Amino acid sequence: MVKFARMDSKSLTALEYPKVLARLAEFCDFSASADLARSLTPTGNYEDALALLKATTEARTLFTTHDLTVGGAHDIRNQVDLCARGGVLQPKELLDIQSTLEVMRRLRRYFEKRTETYPHLAEIALRLPVASDLIETIARCITPTGEVADSASPLLAELRRHVRLTHDRLIARLQRYLSEPETAAKLQDRVITQREGRYVLPLRAECKGQIPAIIHDQSSTGATLFIEPLAVVDLNNAYREAQLAERDEVQRILVALCAQIGKQAGEIIPGVAGLAELDLVFAKAKYAEAIRGVEPLLLKMDAKRPKARGQDSSSVPPPPSIRLLDARHPLLDPATVVPITIDPAPGTFAIVITGPNTGGKTVTLKTVGLLAAMAQSGLHIPAISGSALPCFQQIFADIGDEQSIEQSLSTFSGHMRNIIHILKKADRRCLVILDELGAGTDPQEGAALARAILSHLIERGVTTFVATHYPELKSFAHSTPGVVNASLEFDLETLRPTYKLTLGLPGRSNALAIAARLGLPYEIIEAARAEINPNDLRADELISDLQRQRKEIRKELEKAERARSEARRLERELAARLAKIEEERQRVLEQARAEGELEIEVLKAQLRSLKEELKRARQPLEAMQVLSEVEEQVELLEEKLHPPTRRPAQSQERQIKLTVGSKVFVSNLGVEGTLLSLDEDDAEVQAGTLRLRIPLEKLQQKDEQSESSSAFEDRRSEDAHPPSVQKRALDLQSRTALRPSSLSLHPSPGLELDLRGMLSEDALDRLEDYLDQAYLAGLPFVRIIHGKGTGKLRQVVRQALSRHPYVQSFEEGGDKEGGEGVTVAKLKS
């Protein structure tokens, strides 16, 4: 079994990790979880780190629908431990235990029902004790105000009743001294007070001895004596004895309660630790929301040994690369911090960052190390989705000034001690961050030492981030596999850093340019330039050109991305408009089809009625033949309303006719396009700037479209004008000389009547006329639209419907029909 050492505490402090933990602790709900947050350390175990991240993600998901907290919980471990050792708690402390146990029980029962949805949170919650018996016992014995309740025991209830009775007798006897004129005149005040737990009266000093009593005290002036009359001594004694008996019973109850708590200490103390762990996960989720963090993809690192010195570096696979997208330092203001992106090519495990002072190199290094430590602590990182971090076994960092006067250490010596410690322990499963490597000594020796240290780390396959000013490391990074240059931009116009990180290009010193911008004489600038190696100047100019070209390319890419985003927006808008048009077209068709079906049903009912009347009237065969012709036309009309479903063979024929590149018509959208590809069930069509996936049955070749459209219009015309059939039925009725009946063919007034905005009297007149016409037309039901409003018009309409002779019943409209704003009335046949 692999043992994972604790992360290097000095490195974590250099990365400002304790400051992150302090902010995390602010989101905890009770002291135990806050202590746990402040002592949190990253884990080098991949499975443990992954489980911590998943738990935080589950908590964030939970908080989107439920406001679940551990509010009301307390760190009761010391109190429970005292009970286990025979101690006795005060009622207030017992209430803390009760509320904490209630929180545990509530959380456990919540997650017991959701183990599949929140498996990691449920694993913690299922370790919490339920302790329902103990909760109920404390609730029965201790009141919410922190007093032992009368219901704690029958004896306590009886003792308190006796205390109240004895007290009432004592006070009543003392009141007699206040009310009797003879004794009241001798009192300083007409009040009853207490001295040393006994009730006394304030007697004037000059009346001393006039009332037989025991003197307990006197005022500071000596003018008042506090006496206990001999007549109430026994009552005072009885009251005091009752109080002591009550106190003893209360103490016995508290001892019994604490003994019961002590027996369950083995469950409660670990339960508090589990509750703190659960609240810490909740705090991580709240902190992640505050910093707009995301769960990073955690990459597992293998445990292969580093190669030996002199071994071919290609034989040792590189560790997985860090990928941080728009990452932000968690301690900086998110409104002003400039995000950085670190996404090197696969196989890159060392980055050399160069750039001006105060340009952000140290902040970049701390951001990388801090986000790695946060991820391995189960904290989401302030970046965007797609960020990935390897799970490092150790994180080492040498950042800041290590100068120490007390230890006689210079800056260089302090850094060397740290680096020596790091080199002894670092391997390919570690992250090493070195700020200003080789600084603080002779530049030539410092550069050589920095290059040698970096080479040693690269040979061991250690993921390394280095910040430096040495140009030798720039060329080393450029020529070494697995290493890449990076730089932080500097704006020469404003003489301020932009804090933007660029991978692939080394940074420039900009010393001469800055000096010139600040006003240093031109001849001095040129003299200094003459002292620089021409090759270095040309390389500096080349870097400047590359940076300028890269900036221009980045601007063009941003411009292209904006254009692409706008095109996507227009595409979505057009697709939404087309979908809305198609929805409206389908709605119109369905409404027309529904009205046609209703008309056909009315015609069929009227034809059946005519047929019965013809039979009863014994009309000639010619009349029956005309009626049969009308019925045939009605059936044809019904078939047109319900065309038969297309057979698979027809789909195959259409698929054979359609060819890639041909012009097609999309029937459900009403647009033309070009066929790009053809599958078994659907096809891809280019319609303007849109690429659409369309089912084959919705496609027509361009030459078929005109025929289909004309046929569709003919069918709509026939569907919308069934009166030709009605005319023939009327002719038949006149030829047979039948007397008019209730089923005579009367024009339909439509299925709906809109009364919104009308006065009650006008609405009732309109409703009366409409119901007469609907009844004569043979409509089975109608919809009356009166709106919601104050409900007055609805009440008037329904009262009229309830009394109308043609209305069989009525009901409120469905959700899709208008709800309370519509009444559907069923008419009598």
Side-chain angles (χ1 to χ4, degrees):
M1 181 177 179
V2 180
K3 292 184 178 180
F4 295 91
R6 289 177 60 87
M7 289 286 175
D8 187 73
S9 59
K10 187 175 183 180
S11 296
L12 294 177
T13 303
L15 293 171
E16 299 181 293
Y17 179 72
K19 294 182 179 179
V20 173
L21 299 185
R23 293 196 178 183
L24 174 64
E26 295 175 0
F27 291 91
C28 295
D29 281 340
F30 77 123
S31 59
S33 55
D35 293 340
L36 201 60
R38 285 186 283 266
S39 62
L40 182 65
T41 57
T43 177
N45 186 305
Y46 172 79
E47 286 75 17
D48 291 346
L50 188 62
L52 292 174
L53 283 173
K54 295 300 181 185
T56 304
T57 301
E58 289 178 9
R60 293 186 72 178
T61 304
L62 171 67
F63 288 155
T64 59
T65 56
H66 295 82
D67 187 17
L68 201 65
T69 68
V70 299
H74 304 271
D75 188 0
I76 56 174
R77 286 175 291 189
N78 290 337
Q79 291 89 329
V80 174
D81 181 65
L82 178 62
C83 292
R85 291 184 285 108
V88 180
L89 303 179
Q90 295 301 313
K92 293 283 188 183
E93 295 174 305
L94 293 174
L95 288 179
D96 290 344
I97 293 176
Q98 177 192 349
S99 62
T100 304
L101 292 177
E102 287 175 345
V103 171
M104 292 182 188
R105 181 176 64 179
R106 172 169 54 84
L107 290 174
R108 174 167 180 149
R109 289 178 176 176
Y110 180 87
F111 286 107
E112 277 179 342
K113 303 174 183 178
R114 297 166 176 84
T115 54
E116 295 183 359
T117 307
Y118 309 109
H120 294 87
L121 296 179
E123 181 182 355
I124 302 173
L126 292 179
R127 303 201 305 262
L128 304 177
V130 176
S132 294
D133 293 342
L134 185 55
I135 294 173
E136 293 172 0
T137 301
I138 297 177
R140 177 177 56 82
C141 295
I142 309 297
T143 66
T145 58
E147 302 291 337
V148 178
D150 292 354
S151 58
S153 73
L155 178 59
L156 179 62
E158 176 61 26
L159 288 174
R160 284 184 171 171
R161 189 189 67 80
H162 180 62
V163 167
R164 289 191 295 270
L165 181 62
T166 307
H167 178 267
D168 292 343
R169 290 175 179 173
L170 173 61
I171 297 300
R173 184 68 183 87
L174 289 171
Q175 284 289 349
R176 290 169 58 184
Y177 285 92
L178 302 180
S179 58
E180 292 178 357
E182 182 181 354
T183 56
K186 301 173 184 178
L187 299 178
Q188 194 72 261
D189 295 301
R190 294 189 176 187
V191 296
I192 300 173
T193 184
Q194 281 188 316
R195 287 293 185 272
E196 299 179 358
R198 300 182 74 85
Y199 285 99
V200 295
L201 297 174
L203 180 70
R204 294 208 303 264
E206 61 270 21
C207 299
K208 178 180 178 182
Q210 296 182 13
I211 298 177
I214 301 173
I215 300 175
H216 286 279
D217 197 3
Q218 70 177 4
S219 64
S220 58
T221 61
T224 303
L225 302 177
F226 296 96
I227 64 169
E228 179 183 0
L230 295 178
V232 299
V233 169
D234 290 340
L235 291 175
N236 250 328
N237 291 340
Y239 175 62
R240 185 58 180 163
E241 290 172 0
Q243 285 182 311
L244 294 176
E246 177 195 3
R247 184 199 63 184
D248 293 342
E249 179 61 13
V250 167
Q251 186 67 13
R252 187 195 65 79
I253 292 170
L254 293 177
V255 169
L257 280 176
C258 293
Q260 188 175 350
I261 294 172
K263 291 179 181 179
Q264 301 187 38
E267 297 180 5
I268 297 175
I269 292 177
V272 175
L275 189 62
E277 185 179 347
L278 192 61
D279 186 47
L280 177 60
V281 179
F282 291 168
K284 291 178 182 178
K286 297 171 186 175
Y287 181 57
E289 289 292 332
I291 63 174
R292 303 196 305 272
V294 298
E295 179 188 354
L297 175 63
L298 201 62
L299 307 175
K300 188 173 184 179
M301 303 188 72
D302 58 53
K304 292 186 178 180
R305 295 183 178 180
K307 75 181 188 66
R309 183 173 294 275
Q311 182 182 351
D312 184 8
S313 60
S314 62
S315 62
V316 179
S321 299
I322 290 177
R323 182 171 70 251
L324 294 174
L325 307 179
D326 283 352
R328 308 178 306 278
H329 194 290
L331 299 177
L332 298 180
D333 185 0
T336 58
V337 65
V338 178
I340 61 171
T341 294
I342 300 175
D343 190 12
T348 301
F349 57 94
I351 295 179
V352 177
I353 304 174
T354 52
N357 287 328
T358 70
K361 297 190 300 297
T362 302
V363 172
T364 300
L365 295 180
K366 287 185 176 181
T367 300
V368 173
L370 198 51
L371 266 56
M374 289 174 64
Q376 292 178 220
S377 302
L379 292 167
H380 288 186
I381 63 173
I384 63 175
S385 297
S387 299
L389 287 164
C391 183
F392 298 105
Q393 186 172 333
Q394 277 287 356
I395 299 174
F396 295 108
D398 177 51
I399 299 175
D401 189 357
E402 292 294 327
Q403 183 173 254
S404 173
I405 297 176
E406 293 180 356
Q407 299 180 17
S408 300
L409 290 176
S410 65
T411 299
F412 177 77
S413 300
H415 281 298
M416 279 300 105
R417 283 197 171 187
N418 283 344
I419 292 172
I420 291 170
H421 169 73
I422 291 171
L423 294 178
K424 286 180 180 179
K425 296 188 175 182
D427 59 21
R428 67 185 313 275
R429 293 173 294 175
C430 298
L431 170 64
V432 173
I433 296 173
L434 303 174
D435 188 21
E436 299 295 348
L437 180 61
T441 186
D442 177 74
Q444 186 175 0
E445 292 183 356
L449 193 58
R451 178 167 178 167
I453 292 172
L454 185 57
S455 297
H456 177 79
L457 291 171
I458 292 170
E459 287 177 359
R460 294 176 64 86
V462 179
T463 300
T464 307
F465 280 75
V466 173
T468 183
H469 285 290
Y470 292 133
E472 292 84 356
L473 290 187
K474 301 178 187 178
S475 57
F476 173 77
H478 180 72
S479 60
T480 305
V483 188
V484 66
N485 274 304
S487 59
L488 287 153
E489 296 179 0
F490 188 85
D491 191 341
L492 291 176
E493 296 296 327
T494 61
L495 297 181
R496 292 179 179 275
T498 64
Y499 305 108
K500 293 182 179 178
L501 182 69
T502 302
L503 291 183
L505 286 178
R508 302 172 58 200
S509 64
N510 296 311
L512 297 180
I514 293 173
R517 288 281 298 171
L518 293 176
L520 192 68
Y522 175 77
E523 57 272 14
I524 298 178
I525 299 293
E526 289 302 313
R529 193 185 302 276
E531 297 293 330
I532 301 176
N533 189 323
N535 292 331
D536 294 338
L537 288 175
R538 285 194 294 272
D540 200 48
E541 291 174 356
L542 179 61
I543 292 173
S544 179
D545 291 339
L546 288 175
Q547 288 178 342
R548 184 173 58 256
Q549 293 175 10
R550 190 162 187 162
K551 187 179 296 184
E552 292 175 356
I553 292 173
R554 185 167 59 199
K555 289 182 179 178
E556 292 298 322
L557 286 175
E558 291 175 354
K559 183 178 179 181
E561 181 62 28
R562 287 194 298 270
R564 185 171 64 174
S565 299
E566 179 64 16
R568 287 178 176 174
R569 185 189 67 79
L570 292 175
E571 180 180 353
R572 290 193 299 270
E573 183 179 343
L574 180 57
R577 291 175 62 184
L578 289 174
K580 188 174 181 180
I581 292 171
E582 171 60 15
E583 182 180 351
E584 181 64 20
R585 190 181 73 87
Q586 291 292 341
R587 188 189 68 80
V588 171
L589 287 176
E590 289 297 330
Q591 184 176 357
R593 185 176 291 110
E595 292 178 357
E597 290 174 353
L598 180 59
E599 293 288 345
I600 288 174
E601 290 299 324
V602 172
L603 287 173
K604 290 168 70 175
Q606 293 173 339
L607 288 173
R608 286 195 298 270
S609 176
L610 289 173
K611 197 170 183 180
E612 291 295 328
E613 292 188 17
L614 287 174
K615 288 181 179 180
R616 289 195 296 269
R618 299 182 180 277
Q619 294 294 322
L621 185 61
E622 180 184 356
M624 299 295 291
Q625 186 175 359
V626 174
L627 186 60
S628 299
E629 293 176 2
V630 175
E631 288 180 334
E632 291 177 0
Q633 291 189 21
V634 172
E635 291 176 358
L636 290 174
L637 189 60
E638 189 173 15
E639 290 179 0
K640 290 181 179 180
L641 278 176
H642 300 283
T645 305
R646 183 175 297 143
R647 297 176 182 176
Q650 291 175 320
S651 281
Q652 295 176 1
E653 290 178 6
R654 172 155 295 183
Q655 185 172 353
I656 294 172
K657 290 181 182 180
L658 295 174
T659 57
V660 175
S662 62
K663 297 292 184 180
V664 294
F665 177 78
V666 184
S667 60
N668 61 327
L669 298 180
V671 298
E672 297 178 5
T674 303
L675 189 63
L676 299 180
S677 63
L678 193 63
D679 294 332
E680 183 177 356
D681 298 322
D682 55 12
E684 185 176 10
V685 176
Q686 180 78 39
T689 60
L690 298 179
R691 287 176 176 257
L692 308 172
R693 298 297 300 185
I694 305 296
L696 291 179
E697 61 267 17
K698 302 296 183 182
L699 295 180
Q700 298 174 355
Q701 283 191 336
K702 191 65 169 57
D703 54 355
E704 296 178 357
Q705 185 260 329
S706 58
E707 299 177 5
S708 174
S709 298
S710 62
F712 175 77
E713 293 299 330
D714 292 344
R715 188 170 77 248
R716 284 290 308 274
S717 177
E718 293 176 1
D719 294 349
H721 301 285
S724 60
V725 182
Q726 293 182 351
K727 183 179 180 181
R728 297 206 55 185
L730 286 171
D731 292 342
L732 175 62
Q733 185 179 9
S734 63
R735 289 173 58 184
T736 55
L738 293 174
R739 58 191 179 91
S741 68
S742 62
L743 291 174
S744 60
L745 299 179
H746 191 281
S748 171
L751 288 173
E752 292 182 347
L753 173 63
D754 193 345
L755 301 177
R756 289 176 294 184
M758 299 178 66
L759 297 176
S760 298
E761 294 78 6
D762 298 336
L764 289 177
D765 294 340
R766 181 71 183 90
L767 177 63
E768 184 71 24
D769 294 340
Y770 173 75
L771 291 176
D772 291 341
Q773 296 177 24
Y775 178 75
L776 292 174
L779 298 183
F781 64 90
V782 292
R783 288 191 289 269
I784 313 299
I785 304 175
H786 42 66
K788 298 179 182 178
T790 61
K792 181 178 179 182
L793 183 58
R794 175 180 59 201
Q795 182 180 1
V796 170
V797 167
R798 292 183 178 177
Q799 287 177 354
L801 291 176
S802 65
R803 297 190 299 265
H804 203 280
Y806 296 157
V807 177
Q808 180 176 345
S809 62
F810 62 88
E811 60 184 12
E812 185 177 287
D815 293 337
K816 296 183 179 180
E817 293 177 311
E820 296 179 354
V822 172
T823 299
V824 179
K826 185 177 180 183
L827 303 182
K828 296 179 180 179
S829 59

